[in-house]
Amino acid sequence: MEQVIAWDPEVIFGLRERCRLVPFASNTLCLTVRNEVLQAGDDWFTLLTRNQMRLATSTAGTDPSGDYTQALFSRMGPAGEVVTAHLH
């Protein structure tokens, strides 16, 4: 099997019949919160929308993590709009 390194999504899509595609990297978004602010029954949505908490993300357009976060909020529909309203 030939070894091909390609970055262009169209090239990769064209190779799918001839090559075995293997993921080699991935990204994960994390929600990090101090223990002392957690309350019984908290979930991600209550944490992201609690008025007493400051929500911050990486800068979209500057850092890929910020781009991923904004894309996630957009895909969340109405819940994402509520979360986005809490960004500082």
Side-chain angles (χ1 to χ4, degrees):
M1 182 177 292
E2 67 183 289
Q3 184 177 12
V4 178
I5 298 175
W7 301 105
D8 182 0
E10 291 182 16
V11 172
I12 294 171
F13 186 77
L15 294 172
R16 72 189 187 288
E17 299 292 326
R18 299 184 342 197
C19 300
R20 181 174 60 108
L21 301 178
V22 179
F24 62 93
S26 64
N27 292 311
T28 302
L29 294 174
C30 300
L31 177 60
T32 305
V33 181
R34 291 181 175 199
N35 285 339
E36 60 264 18
V37 300
L38 291 174
Q39 299 173 7
D42 276 345
D43 61 13
W44 64 269
F45 188 72
T46 59
L47 290 169
L48 291 177
T49 56
R50 184 173 295 149
N51 288 330
Q52 298 82 5
M53 293 186 63
R54 178 179 167 265
L55 176 61
T57 69
S58 297
T59 305
T62 304
D63 179 1
S65 183
D67 297 331
Y68 303 145
T69 302
Q70 293 303 314
L72 172 66
F73 292 163
S74 294
R75 292 179 182 176
M76 289 169 53
E81 292 172 15
V82 173
V83 171
T84 301
H86 281 76
L87 285 173
H88 294 263

